[in-house]
Amino acid sequence: MNTTEIIDCFGGTFAIARRCGVTPSAVSQWRNNGMPGDKLVLLAAELEKKSNGAWTRKEIPNWSQIWPDKIVGM
């Protein structure tokens, strides 16, 4: 999923802005520049559910350091 699809999955610019504690203008800029990593981490678990598995937190760089419990075999 790209950033626009992620934003839309949560209900749009204003919904993401409220969830992340930023302005709608900032979220609009993410559509062009990509979502900051800390905001993506904040939304990751819920995004997995909302996207029905189309996106997983394993797409975040260094995901295994953030969620070591998600590593198979541990």
Side-chain angles (χ1 to χ4, degrees):
M1 296 180 87
N2 64 36
T3 301
T4 294
E5 292 169 327
I6 291 170
I7 292 168
D8 292 344
C9 185
F10 275 90
T13 301
F14 286 89
I16 287 286
R18 279 190 302 275
R19 286 184 135 334
C20 293
V22 299
T23 64
S25 174
V27 176
S28 292
Q29 290 177 2
W30 298 349
R31 290 183 185 270
N32 295 323
N33 302 326
M35 185 176 287
D38 64 323
K39 303 307 182 199
L40 193 53
V41 168
L42 175 71
L43 302 170
E46 190 173 354
L47 181 55
E48 279 184 324
K49 293 176 189 172
K50 285 186 173 284
S51 70
N52 294 317
W55 184 91
T56 72
R57 64 186 96 187
K58 291 181 180 181
E59 294 180 49
I60 296 174
N62 301 322
W63 69 269
S64 62
Q65 293 174 346
I66 301 166
W67 298 284
D69 59 312
K70 297 296 179 188
I71 299 173
V72 177
M74 290 192 87

Short mmCIF file of all heavy atoms in Angstrom, two decimals:
data_model
loop_
_atom_site.label_atom_id
_atom_site.label_comp_id
_atom_site.label_asym_id
_atom_site.label_seq_id
_atom_site.Cartn_x
_atom_site.Cartn_y
_atom_site.Cartn_z
N MET A 1 0.84 -1.18 0.00
CA MET A 1 0.00 0.00 0.00
C MET A 1 0.89 1.24 0.00
O MET A 1 1.89 1.28 0.70
CB MET A 1 -0.87 0.06 1.25
CG MET A 1 -1.89 -1.05 1.39
SD MET A 1 -2.87 -0.89 2.90
CE MET A 1 -4.17 0.17 2.31
N ASN A 2 0.48 2.22 -0.74
CA ASN A 2 1.22 3.48 -0.69
C ASN A 2 0.59 4.40 0.36
O ASN A 2 -0.44 4.08 0.96
CB ASN A 2 1.27 4.14 -2.08
CG ASN A 2 -0.09 4.55 -2.59
OD1 ASN A 2 -0.97 4.99 -1.83
ND2 ASN A 2 -0.29 4.43 -3.89
N THR A 3 1.20 5.54 0.60
CA THR A 3 0.74 6.44 1.66
C THR A 3 -0.68 6.90 1.44
O THR A 3 -1.48 6.95 2.39
CB THR A 3 1.69 7.65 1.77
OG1 THR A 3 3.01 7.17 2.05
CG2 THR A 3 1.26 8.59 2.88
N THR A 4 -1.05 7.23 0.22
CA THR A 4 -2.43 7.67 -0.06
C THR A 4 -3.42 6.57 0.28
O THR A 4 -4.47 6.83 0.88
CB THR A 4 -2.56 8.10 -1.53
OG1 THR A 4 -1.74 9.26 -1.73
CG2 THR A 4 -4.00 8.42 -1.90
N GLU A 5 -3.11 5.34 -0.06
CA GLU A 5 -4.00 4.22 0.27
C GLU A 5 -4.12 4.03 1.78
O GLU A 5 -5.20 3.73 2.29
CB GLU A 5 -3.50 2.94 -0.40
CG GLU A 5 -3.61 2.96 -1.90
CD GLU A 5 -2.88 1.81 -2.58
OE1 GLU A 5 -1.84 1.36 -2.07
OE2 GLU A 5 -3.38 1.36 -3.63
N ILE A 6 -3.03 4.22 2.48
CA ILE A 6 -3.06 4.10 3.94
C ILE A 6 -3.94 5.19 4.54
O ILE A 6 -4.79 4.92 5.39
CB ILE A 6 -1.62 4.17 4.52
CG1 ILE A 6 -0.84 2.92 4.14
CG2 ILE A 6 -1.66 4.36 6.04
CD1 ILE A 6 0.65 2.99 4.44
N ILE A 7 -3.75 6.42 4.10
CA ILE A 7 -4.57 7.53 4.60
C ILE A 7 -6.04 7.28 4.31
O ILE A 7 -6.90 7.45 5.19
CB ILE A 7 -4.09 8.86 3.99
CG1 ILE A 7 -2.68 9.20 4.51
CG2 ILE A 7 -5.08 9.99 4.28
CD1 ILE A 7 -1.99 10.33 3.78
N ASP A 8 -6.34 6.86 3.12
CA ASP A 8 -7.73 6.58 2.74
C ASP A 8 -8.32 5.43 3.54
O ASP A 8 -9.50 5.45 3.89
CB ASP A 8 -7.84 6.31 1.24
CG ASP A 8 -7.54 7.56 0.40
OD1 ASP A 8 -7.55 8.68 0.96
OD2 ASP A 8 -7.30 7.40 -0.81
N CYS A 9 -7.51 4.45 3.85
CA CYS A 9 -7.96 3.29 4.63
C CYS A 9 -8.46 3.73 6.01
O CYS A 9 -9.36 3.12 6.57
CB CYS A 9 -6.82 2.30 4.75
SG CYS A 9 -7.23 0.75 5.57
N PHE A 10 -7.89 4.78 6.56
CA PHE A 10 -8.27 5.29 7.87
C PHE A 10 -9.37 6.33 7.81
O PHE A 10 -9.78 6.86 8.83
CB PHE A 10 -7.06 5.88 8.60
CG PHE A 10 -6.25 4.85 9.33
CD1 PHE A 10 -5.21 4.19 8.70
CD2 PHE A 10 -6.55 4.51 10.63
CE1 PHE A 10 -4.47 3.23 9.37
CE2 PHE A 10 -5.81 3.56 11.31
CZ PHE A 10 -4.77 2.91 10.68
N GLY A 11 -9.83 6.66 6.60
CA GLY A 11 -10.93 7.61 6.49
C GLY A 11 -10.54 8.98 6.00
O GLY A 11 -11.33 9.91 6.06
N GLY A 12 -9.32 9.13 5.53
CA GLY A 12 -8.92 10.39 4.92
C GLY A 12 -7.99 11.24 5.76
O GLY A 12 -7.59 10.89 6.88
N THR A 13 -7.67 12.38 5.20
CA THR A 13 -6.70 13.30 5.77
C THR A 13 -7.04 13.74 7.19
O THR A 13 -6.20 13.71 8.08
CB THR A 13 -6.56 14.54 4.85
OG1 THR A 13 -6.14 14.09 3.55
CG2 THR A 13 -5.57 15.54 5.39
N PHE A 14 -8.28 14.16 7.40
CA PHE A 14 -8.67 14.67 8.72
C PHE A 14 -8.66 13.57 9.77
O PHE A 14 -8.25 13.80 10.92
CB PHE A 14 -10.02 15.37 8.65
CG PHE A 14 -9.95 16.71 7.97
CD1 PHE A 14 -10.11 16.81 6.59
CD2 PHE A 14 -9.70 17.86 8.70
CE1 PHE A 14 -10.03 18.03 5.95
CE2 PHE A 14 -9.61 19.09 8.07
CZ PHE A 14 -9.77 19.18 6.69
N ALA A 15 -9.06 12.37 9.41
CA ALA A 15 -9.07 11.25 10.35
C ALA A 15 -7.64 10.90 10.78
O ALA A 15 -7.37 10.69 11.97
CB ALA A 15 -9.76 10.04 9.74
N ILE A 16 -6.73 10.86 9.84
CA ILE A 16 -5.33 10.57 10.16
C ILE A 16 -4.73 11.69 11.00
O ILE A 16 -4.00 11.44 11.96
CB ILE A 16 -4.50 10.35 8.87
CG1 ILE A 16 -4.84 9.01 8.22
CG2 ILE A 16 -3.01 10.43 9.15
CD1 ILE A 16 -4.28 7.80 8.94
N ALA A 17 -5.04 12.93 10.66
CA ALA A 17 -4.52 14.07 11.42
C ALA A 17 -4.94 13.98 12.88
O ALA A 17 -4.11 14.18 13.78
CB ALA A 17 -5.00 15.38 10.80
N ARG A 18 -6.20 13.66 13.14
CA ARG A 18 -6.67 13.51 14.52
C ARG A 18 -5.95 12.38 15.23
O ARG A 18 -5.52 12.52 16.37
CB ARG A 18 -8.18 13.26 14.54
CG ARG A 18 -9.02 14.51 14.39
CD ARG A 18 -10.49 14.24 14.66
NE ARG A 18 -11.07 13.22 13.78
CZ ARG A 18 -11.56 13.45 12.57
NH1 ARG A 18 -11.56 14.67 12.08
NH2 ARG A 18 -12.07 12.47 11.86
N ARG A 19 -5.81 11.24 14.57
CA ARG A 19 -5.17 10.07 15.19
C ARG A 19 -3.71 10.32 15.52
O ARG A 19 -3.18 9.82 16.50
CB ARG A 19 -5.25 8.86 14.26
CG ARG A 19 -6.62 8.23 14.19
CD ARG A 19 -6.53 7.02 13.33
NE ARG A 19 -7.14 5.79 13.74
CZ ARG A 19 -7.43 5.35 14.95
NH1 ARG A 19 -7.16 6.06 15.97
NH2 ARG A 19 -8.00 4.19 15.14
N CYS A 20 -3.03 11.06 14.65
CA CYS A 20 -1.58 11.27 14.81
C CYS A 20 -1.23 12.57 15.53
O CYS A 20 -0.06 12.82 15.79
CB CYS A 20 -0.92 11.25 13.43
SG CYS A 20 -0.97 9.63 12.64
N GLY A 21 -2.23 13.39 15.81
CA GLY A 21 -1.97 14.64 16.51
C GLY A 21 -1.21 15.66 15.68
O GLY A 21 -0.35 16.38 16.20
N VAL A 22 -1.52 15.70 14.39
CA VAL A 22 -0.88 16.65 13.48
C VAL A 22 -1.96 17.41 12.72
O VAL A 22 -3.15 17.09 12.81
CB VAL A 22 0.07 15.94 12.49
CG1 VAL A 22 1.19 15.23 13.22
CG2 VAL A 22 -0.69 14.97 11.60
N THR A 23 -1.56 18.37 11.95
CA THR A 23 -2.52 19.15 11.16
C THR A 23 -2.88 18.40 9.88
O THR A 23 -2.08 17.59 9.37
CB THR A 23 -1.94 20.52 10.76
OG1 THR A 23 -0.81 20.31 9.90
CG2 THR A 23 -1.53 21.32 11.99
N PRO A 24 -4.07 18.66 9.35
CA PRO A 24 -4.42 18.07 8.06
C PRO A 24 -3.44 18.46 6.95
O PRO A 24 -3.16 17.67 6.05
CB PRO A 24 -5.82 18.65 7.77
CG PRO A 24 -6.39 18.90 9.14
CD PRO A 24 -5.20 19.37 9.96
N SER A 25 -2.86 19.64 7.06
CA SER A 25 -1.86 20.08 6.09
C SER A 25 -0.64 19.16 6.09
O SER A 25 -0.10 18.82 5.04
CB SER A 25 -1.44 21.52 6.40
OG SER A 25 -0.40 21.93 5.57
N ALA A 26 -0.23 18.75 7.28
CA ALA A 26 0.91 17.82 7.38
C ALA A 26 0.59 16.50 6.70
O ALA A 26 1.41 15.95 5.96
CB ALA A 26 1.28 17.59 8.84
N VAL A 27 -0.61 16.00 6.95
CA VAL A 27 -1.02 14.73 6.34
C VAL A 27 -1.07 14.86 4.82
O VAL A 27 -0.66 13.96 4.10
CB VAL A 27 -2.36 14.24 6.91
CG1 VAL A 27 -2.82 12.97 6.21
CG2 VAL A 27 -2.25 14.02 8.41
N SER A 28 -1.56 16.00 4.33
CA SER A 28 -1.59 16.22 2.88
C SER A 28 -0.20 16.16 2.28
O SER A 28 -0.01 15.61 1.19
CB SER A 28 -2.23 17.58 2.57
OG SER A 28 -3.60 17.55 2.90
N GLN A 29 0.79 16.68 3.01
CA GLN A 29 2.17 16.62 2.52
C GLN A 29 2.68 15.19 2.48
O GLN A 29 3.49 14.84 1.62
CB GLN A 29 3.07 17.48 3.40
CG GLN A 29 2.82 18.95 3.24
CD GLN A 29 3.67 19.80 4.16
OE1 GLN A 29 4.51 19.29 4.90
NE2 GLN A 29 3.47 21.10 4.12
N TRP A 30 2.20 14.35 3.41
CA TRP A 30 2.62 12.95 3.42
C TRP A 30 2.22 12.24 2.14
O TRP A 30 2.88 11.30 1.71
CB TRP A 30 2.02 12.21 4.60
CG TRP A 30 2.44 12.71 5.94
CD1 TRP A 30 3.43 13.62 6.22
CD2 TRP A 30 1.87 12.36 7.20
NE1 TRP A 30 3.49 13.84 7.57
CE2 TRP A 30 2.55 13.09 8.19
CE3 TRP A 30 0.83 11.51 7.58
CZ2 TRP A 30 2.23 12.97 9.54
CZ3 TRP A 30 0.53 11.39 8.91
CH2 TRP A 30 1.23 12.12 9.88
N ARG A 31 1.11 12.66 1.55
CA ARG A 31 0.65 12.01 0.31
C ARG A 31 1.73 12.11 -0.78
O ARG A 31 1.87 11.22 -1.60
CB ARG A 31 -0.65 12.62 -0.18
CG ARG A 31 -1.84 12.28 0.69
CD ARG A 31 -3.13 12.85 0.10
NE ARG A 31 -4.27 12.63 0.96
CZ ARG A 31 -5.07 11.58 0.94
NH1 ARG A 31 -4.83 10.60 0.07
NH2 ARG A 31 -6.10 11.48 1.75
N ASN A 32 2.49 13.19 -0.75
CA ASN A 32 3.56 13.39 -1.74
C ASN A 32 4.93 12.92 -1.24
O ASN A 32 5.74 12.43 -2.02
CB ASN A 32 3.67 14.88 -2.11
CG ASN A 32 2.45 15.38 -2.83
OD1 ASN A 32 1.85 14.67 -3.63
ND2 ASN A 32 2.05 16.59 -2.52
N ASN A 33 5.17 13.08 0.06
CA ASN A 33 6.51 12.83 0.60
C ASN A 33 6.65 11.53 1.37
O ASN A 33 7.74 11.19 1.81
CB ASN A 33 6.92 13.99 1.52
CG ASN A 33 6.90 15.32 0.81
OD1 ASN A 33 7.19 15.40 -0.38
ND2 ASN A 33 6.53 16.37 1.51
N GLY A 34 5.54 10.83 1.59
CA GLY A 34 5.57 9.61 2.37
C GLY A 34 5.29 9.89 3.84
O GLY A 34 5.53 10.98 4.34
N MET A 35 4.75 8.90 4.52
CA MET A 35 4.41 9.03 5.93
C MET A 35 5.65 8.85 6.80
O MET A 35 6.43 7.92 6.57
CB MET A 35 3.36 7.97 6.30
CG MET A 35 2.83 8.09 7.71
SD MET A 35 1.53 6.88 8.05
CE MET A 35 0.18 7.56 7.12
N PRO A 36 5.84 9.73 7.79
CA PRO A 36 6.98 9.56 8.69
C PRO A 36 6.92 8.21 9.40
O PRO A 36 5.85 7.72 9.75
CB PRO A 36 6.82 10.70 9.69
CG PRO A 36 5.93 11.70 9.02
CD PRO A 36 5.04 10.90 8.11
N GLY A 37 8.08 7.64 9.62
CA GLY A 37 8.16 6.32 10.23
C GLY A 37 7.49 6.20 11.58
O GLY A 37 6.82 5.21 11.87
N ASP A 38 7.61 7.24 12.43
CA ASP A 38 7.00 7.15 13.75
C ASP A 38 5.48 7.12 13.67
O ASP A 38 4.82 6.45 14.47
CB ASP A 38 7.48 8.29 14.66
CG ASP A 38 7.07 9.67 14.17
OD1 ASP A 38 7.06 9.90 12.93
OD2 ASP A 38 6.79 10.54 15.02
N LYS A 39 4.92 7.80 12.69
CA LYS A 39 3.46 7.79 12.53
C LYS A 39 3.01 6.44 11.96
O LYS A 39 1.96 5.92 12.33
CB LYS A 39 3.00 8.92 11.62
CG LYS A 39 3.42 10.30 12.09
CD LYS A 39 3.01 10.59 13.51
CE LYS A 39 3.41 12.00 13.89
NZ LYS A 39 3.48 12.23 15.32
N LEU A 40 3.80 5.88 11.09
CA LEU A 40 3.47 4.57 10.54
C LEU A 40 3.50 3.51 11.62
O LEU A 40 2.61 2.65 11.70
CB LEU A 40 4.44 4.23 9.41
CG LEU A 40 4.08 3.05 8.52
CD1 LEU A 40 2.68 3.18 7.94
CD2 LEU A 40 5.09 2.92 7.40
N VAL A 41 4.46 3.58 12.51
CA VAL A 41 4.55 2.64 13.63
C VAL A 41 3.32 2.80 14.52
O VAL A 41 2.73 1.82 14.97
CB VAL A 41 5.86 2.84 14.43
CG1 VAL A 41 5.82 2.08 15.74
CG2 VAL A 41 7.05 2.41 13.59
N LEU A 42 2.91 4.05 14.77
CA LEU A 42 1.74 4.33 15.59
C LEU A 42 0.48 3.66 15.04
O LEU A 42 -0.35 3.16 15.78
CB LEU A 42 1.54 5.85 15.67
CG LEU A 42 0.31 6.36 16.39
CD1 LEU A 42 0.45 6.13 17.90
CD2 LEU A 42 0.11 7.83 16.11
N LEU A 43 0.35 3.63 13.73
CA LEU A 43 -0.85 3.11 13.07
C LEU A 43 -0.74 1.66 12.64
O LEU A 43 -1.73 1.06 12.20
CB LEU A 43 -1.15 3.97 11.84
CG LEU A 43 -1.36 5.46 12.08
CD1 LEU A 43 -1.40 6.20 10.75
CD2 LEU A 43 -2.63 5.70 12.87
N ALA A 44 0.43 1.07 12.74
CA ALA A 44 0.73 -0.22 12.12
C ALA A 44 -0.22 -1.35 12.48
O ALA A 44 -0.75 -2.03 11.60
CB ALA A 44 2.17 -0.63 12.43
N ALA A 45 -0.43 -1.59 13.75
CA ALA A 45 -1.26 -2.73 14.16
C ALA A 45 -2.69 -2.58 13.65
O ALA A 45 -3.29 -3.53 13.13
CB ALA A 45 -1.25 -2.88 15.67
N GLU A 46 -3.22 -1.38 13.76
CA GLU A 46 -4.59 -1.16 13.28
C GLU A 46 -4.66 -1.22 11.76
O GLU A 46 -5.64 -1.70 11.20
CB GLU A 46 -5.11 0.18 13.78
CG GLU A 46 -6.59 0.36 13.52
CD GLU A 46 -7.16 1.61 14.14
OE1 GLU A 46 -6.46 2.31 14.89
OE2 GLU A 46 -8.33 1.88 13.86
N LEU A 47 -3.62 -0.74 11.10
CA LEU A 47 -3.60 -0.79 9.64
C LEU A 47 -3.61 -2.22 9.13
O LEU A 47 -4.27 -2.53 8.14
CB LEU A 47 -2.38 -0.04 9.10
CG LEU A 47 -2.23 0.01 7.59
CD1 LEU A 47 -3.48 0.58 6.92
CD2 LEU A 47 -1.00 0.81 7.20
N GLU A 48 -2.92 -3.12 9.82
CA GLU A 48 -2.96 -4.53 9.43
C GLU A 48 -4.40 -5.03 9.42
O GLU A 48 -4.82 -5.74 8.51
CB GLU A 48 -2.15 -5.38 10.41
CG GLU A 48 -0.68 -5.37 10.14
CD GLU A 48 0.09 -6.30 11.05
OE1 GLU A 48 -0.26 -6.45 12.24
OE2 GLU A 48 1.06 -6.89 10.57
N LYS A 49 -5.15 -4.67 10.46
CA LYS A 49 -6.54 -5.11 10.55
C LYS A 49 -7.42 -4.43 9.52
O LYS A 49 -8.21 -5.08 8.83
CB LYS A 49 -7.08 -4.84 11.95
CG LYS A 49 -6.44 -5.67 13.02
CD LYS A 49 -6.94 -5.29 14.39
CE LYS A 49 -6.13 -5.99 15.47
NZ LYS A 49 -6.46 -5.51 16.80
N LYS A 50 -7.31 -3.10 9.41
CA LYS A 50 -8.16 -2.34 8.49
C LYS A 50 -7.93 -2.73 7.03
O LYS A 50 -8.85 -2.66 6.23
CB LYS A 50 -7.94 -0.84 8.66
CG LYS A 50 -8.56 -0.26 9.90
CD LYS A 50 -8.41 1.25 9.89
CE LYS A 50 -9.17 1.88 11.02
NZ LYS A 50 -10.60 1.93 10.81
N SER A 51 -6.71 -3.13 6.70
CA SER A 51 -6.40 -3.47 5.31
C SER A 51 -6.64 -4.95 5.01
O SER A 51 -6.34 -5.41 3.91
CB SER A 51 -4.96 -3.10 4.98
OG SER A 51 -4.05 -3.96 5.64
N ASN A 52 -7.14 -5.69 6.00
CA ASN A 52 -7.36 -7.13 5.83
C ASN A 52 -6.11 -7.86 5.37
O ASN A 52 -6.16 -8.75 4.54
CB ASN A 52 -8.52 -7.39 4.87
CG ASN A 52 -9.84 -6.92 5.42
OD1 ASN A 52 -10.14 -7.12 6.60
ND2 ASN A 52 -10.64 -6.26 4.59
N GLY A 53 -4.97 -7.43 5.90
CA GLY A 53 -3.71 -8.09 5.59
C GLY A 53 -3.04 -7.63 4.32
O GLY A 53 -1.97 -8.13 3.96
N ALA A 54 -3.63 -6.65 3.60
CA ALA A 54 -2.99 -6.14 2.39
C ALA A 54 -1.68 -5.42 2.72
O ALA A 54 -0.79 -5.33 1.90
CB ALA A 54 -3.93 -5.19 1.65
N TRP A 55 -1.58 -4.94 3.95
CA TRP A 55 -0.38 -4.29 4.44
C TRP A 55 -0.04 -4.93 5.78
O TRP A 55 -0.93 -5.19 6.58
CB TRP A 55 -0.62 -2.79 4.63
CG TRP A 55 0.60 -2.05 5.06
CD1 TRP A 55 1.50 -1.45 4.24
CD2 TRP A 55 1.05 -1.82 6.39
NE1 TRP A 55 2.50 -0.88 4.99
CE2 TRP A 55 2.24 -1.09 6.32
CE3 TRP A 55 0.58 -2.18 7.64
CZ2 TRP A 55 2.96 -0.71 7.43
CZ3 TRP A 55 1.30 -1.80 8.76
CH2 TRP A 55 2.46 -1.06 8.65
N THR A 56 1.22 -5.19 6.02
CA THR A 56 1.62 -5.73 7.31
C THR A 56 2.74 -4.88 7.88
O THR A 56 3.48 -4.22 7.15
CB THR A 56 2.12 -7.19 7.23
OG1 THR A 56 3.40 -7.21 6.59
CG2 THR A 56 1.14 -8.08 6.50
N ARG A 57 2.87 -4.92 9.20
CA ARG A 57 3.91 -4.12 9.85
C ARG A 57 5.31 -4.57 9.44
O ARG A 57 6.27 -3.86 9.65
CB ARG A 57 3.73 -4.11 11.36
CG ARG A 57 3.87 -5.45 12.01
CD ARG A 57 3.54 -5.38 13.47
NE ARG A 57 2.15 -5.78 13.66
CZ ARG A 57 1.52 -5.72 14.80
NH1 ARG A 57 2.10 -5.26 15.87
NH2 ARG A 57 0.27 -6.09 14.90
N LYS A 58 5.43 -5.73 8.83
CA LYS A 58 6.73 -6.20 8.36
C LYS A 58 7.26 -5.35 7.20
O LYS A 58 8.40 -5.50 6.80
CB LYS A 58 6.65 -7.67 7.96
CG LYS A 58 6.45 -8.58 9.16
CD LYS A 58 6.40 -10.03 8.77
CE LYS A 58 6.21 -10.90 10.00
NZ LYS A 58 6.16 -12.31 9.67
N GLU A 59 6.42 -4.46 6.68
CA GLU A 59 6.85 -3.55 5.62
C GLU A 59 7.63 -2.35 6.18
O GLU A 59 8.23 -1.61 5.42
CB GLU A 59 5.65 -3.08 4.81
CG GLU A 59 5.01 -4.22 4.05
CD GLU A 59 3.82 -3.80 3.22
OE1 GLU A 59 3.92 -2.81 2.49
OE2 GLU A 59 2.78 -4.48 3.31
N ILE A 60 7.63 -2.19 7.51
CA ILE A 60 8.37 -1.11 8.14
C ILE A 60 9.81 -1.56 8.31
O ILE A 60 10.06 -2.65 8.83
CB ILE A 60 7.76 -0.76 9.51
CG1 ILE A 60 6.33 -0.25 9.34
CG2 ILE A 60 8.63 0.24 10.26
CD1 ILE A 60 5.62 -0.01 10.66
N PRO A 61 10.77 -0.73 7.90
CA PRO A 61 12.17 -1.10 8.13
C PRO A 61 12.41 -1.35 9.62
O PRO A 61 11.86 -0.65 10.47
CB PRO A 61 12.95 0.14 7.65
CG PRO A 61 12.03 0.81 6.69
CD PRO A 61 10.64 0.55 7.21
N ASN A 62 13.19 -2.34 9.93
CA ASN A 62 13.52 -2.69 11.32
C ASN A 62 12.30 -3.11 12.14
O ASN A 62 12.30 -2.99 13.35
CB ASN A 62 14.26 -1.55 12.02
CG ASN A 62 15.54 -1.18 11.32
OD1 ASN A 62 16.25 -2.05 10.82
ND2 ASN A 62 15.82 0.09 11.25
N TRP A 63 11.28 -3.63 11.48
CA TRP A 63 10.05 -4.02 12.19
C TRP A 63 10.33 -5.02 13.31
O TRP A 63 9.70 -4.99 14.35
CB TRP A 63 9.02 -4.60 11.22
CG TRP A 63 9.43 -5.93 10.66
CD1 TRP A 63 10.15 -6.15 9.52
CD2 TRP A 63 9.18 -7.21 11.22
NE1 TRP A 63 10.36 -7.49 9.35
CE2 TRP A 63 9.78 -8.18 10.38
CE3 TRP A 63 8.53 -7.66 12.36
CZ2 TRP A 63 9.73 -9.54 10.64
CZ3 TRP A 63 8.47 -9.02 12.62
CH2 TRP A 63 9.07 -9.95 11.75
N SER A 64 11.31 -5.90 13.11
CA SER A 64 11.57 -6.94 14.11
C SER A 64 12.15 -6.38 15.40
O SER A 64 12.03 -6.99 16.45
CB SER A 64 12.49 -8.01 13.54
OG SER A 64 13.74 -7.45 13.19
N GLN A 65 12.74 -5.21 15.34
CA GLN A 65 13.23 -4.56 16.56
C GLN A 65 12.09 -3.89 17.32
O GLN A 65 12.17 -3.74 18.53
CB GLN A 65 14.31 -3.54 16.21
CG GLN A 65 15.56 -4.18 15.66
CD GLN A 65 16.58 -3.17 15.19
OE1 GLN A 65 16.28 -1.99 15.04
NE2 GLN A 65 17.79 -3.63 14.95
N ILE A 66 11.06 -3.49 16.61
CA ILE A 66 9.92 -2.83 17.23
C ILE A 66 8.96 -3.87 17.80
O ILE A 66 8.43 -3.70 18.89
CB ILE A 66 9.18 -1.94 16.20
CG1 ILE A 66 10.16 -0.88 15.65
CG2 ILE A 66 7.96 -1.29 16.83
CD1 ILE A 66 9.65 -0.18 14.42
N TRP A 67 8.74 -4.96 17.06
CA TRP A 67 7.81 -6.02 17.47
C TRP A 67 8.52 -7.37 17.46
O TRP A 67 8.21 -8.24 16.63
CB TRP A 67 6.61 -6.07 16.53
CG TRP A 67 5.79 -4.82 16.55
CD1 TRP A 67 4.93 -4.43 17.52
CD2 TRP A 67 5.75 -3.81 15.54
NE1 TRP A 67 4.36 -3.23 17.19
CE2 TRP A 67 4.84 -2.83 15.97
CE3 TRP A 67 6.39 -3.65 14.33
CZ2 TRP A 67 4.56 -1.70 15.24
CZ3 TRP A 67 6.11 -2.51 13.59
CH2 TRP A 67 5.21 -1.55 14.05
N PRO A 68 9.45 -7.61 18.34
CA PRO A 68 10.17 -8.88 18.33
C PRO A 68 9.26 -10.08 18.56
O PRO A 68 9.58 -11.19 18.14
CB PRO A 68 11.20 -8.74 19.44
CG PRO A 68 10.67 -7.67 20.32
CD PRO A 68 9.87 -6.75 19.43
N ASP A 69 8.11 -9.87 19.18
CA ASP A 69 7.18 -10.96 19.42
C ASP A 69 6.53 -11.47 18.15
O ASP A 69 5.93 -12.54 18.14
CB ASP A 69 6.10 -10.54 20.42
CG ASP A 69 5.30 -9.34 19.93
OD1 ASP A 69 5.92 -8.35 19.48
OD2 ASP A 69 4.07 -9.37 20.02
N LYS A 70 6.66 -10.74 17.06
CA LYS A 70 6.07 -11.14 15.78
C LYS A 70 7.01 -12.00 14.94
O LYS A 70 6.65 -12.45 13.86
CB LYS A 70 5.64 -9.92 14.97
CG LYS A 70 4.56 -9.10 15.63
CD LYS A 70 3.29 -9.89 15.77
CE LYS A 70 2.21 -9.09 16.46
NZ LYS A 70 1.05 -9.88 16.78
N ILE A 71 8.21 -12.23 15.43
CA ILE A 71 9.17 -13.06 14.70
C ILE A 71 8.77 -14.52 14.90
O ILE A 71 8.63 -14.98 16.02
CB ILE A 71 10.61 -12.83 15.19
CG1 ILE A 71 11.00 -11.37 14.96
CG2 ILE A 71 11.58 -13.77 14.49
CD1 ILE A 71 12.35 -10.99 15.57
N VAL A 72 8.58 -15.22 13.81
CA VAL A 72 8.18 -16.64 13.88
C VAL A 72 9.28 -17.43 14.55
O VAL A 72 10.46 -17.23 14.29
CB VAL A 72 7.90 -17.18 12.46
CG1 VAL A 72 7.56 -18.65 12.52
CG2 VAL A 72 6.78 -16.39 11.80
N GLY A 73 8.88 -18.31 15.42
CA GLY A 73 9.83 -19.19 16.10
C GLY A 73 10.28 -18.69 17.46
O GLY A 73 11.07 -19.33 18.12
N MET A 74 9.78 -17.55 17.88
CA MET A 74 10.16 -17.05 19.20
C MET A 74 9.08 -17.34 20.20
O MET A 74 7.97 -17.45 20.00
CB MET A 74 10.40 -15.54 19.15
CG MET A 74 11.66 -15.20 18.38
SD MET A 74 12.12 -13.48 18.61
CE MET A 74 13.09 -13.65 20.08
#
